[in-house]
Amino acid sequence: QVVGGKVKKPGKRGRKPAKIDLKAKLERSRQSARECRARKKLRYQYLEELVSSRERAICALREELEMYKQWCMAMDQGKIPSEIKALLTGEEQGKAQQNSVKLAKAGKTEANSSNP
């Protein structure tokens, strides 16, 4: 065949397979398989850790939800749970402390600005 001024021989196209040592080829294949199994094992370990951490988070959230349900049932019966009282008094104390800190800072700035 003549294509574009060049004579082509019929047959397969592309590179001719180089004569590769069969033992070396088998060893490379085994090494590749070992590496693939190691990567797979690591991937599965990572996924198992991820699943277990998510399961722990779900359990914690379920416990928290149950606690809130119990608080709501108690409040429906006219009782205020001690935990909520503690939160409310803690907020009030925190607000009082914040206000006192703000007043103290304001007093210091006024004292500093009045002294020449």
Side-chain angles (χ1 to χ4, degrees):
Q1 290 181 354
V2 177
V3 178
K6 295 181 181 178
V7 177
K8 286 201 161 196
K9 296 178 183 177
K12 295 182 181 179
R13 294 186 300 185
R15 277 196 298 177
K16 293 183 180 177
K19 293 183 180 178
I20 299 173
D21 186 20
L22 188 59
K23 288 182 179 180
K25 184 177 179 181
L26 287 173
E27 184 55 37
R28 280 197 311 272
S29 177
R30 289 185 191 113
Q31 181 64 28
S32 177
R34 279 191 290 269
E35 291 170 0
C36 180
R37 287 190 294 273
R39 285 191 305 268
K40 183 178 179 180
K41 185 177 180 181
L42 285 174
R43 185 170 53 250
Y44 274 88
Q45 285 175 348
Y46 166 74
L47 290 173
E48 286 174 359
E49 289 172 8
L50 191 63
V51 166
S52 66
S53 69
R54 298 290 161 88
E55 286 175 346
R56 285 191 301 271
I58 288 170
C59 288
L61 289 171
R62 283 189 176 141
E63 289 174 7
E64 188 178 356
L65 178 63
E66 189 59 37
M67 178 184 66
Y68 291 142
K69 284 180 181 179
Q70 290 175 356
W71 287 4
C72 290
M73 287 171 36
M75 285 191 287
D76 287 344
Q77 295 171 357
K79 301 173 187 174
I80 298 177
S82 59
E83 294 92 347
I84 294 179
K85 286 181 184 178
L87 286 173
L88 292 174
T89 57
E91 284 181 10
E92 290 170 3
Q93 288 175 356
K95 288 179 183 177
Q97 287 176 351
Q98 287 176 353
N99 288 337
S100 64
V101 168
K102 286 180 184 176
L103 291 173
K105 285 183 180 179
K108 286 181 183 178
T109 55
E110 287 178 12
N112 289 341
S113 61
S114 63
N115 289 337

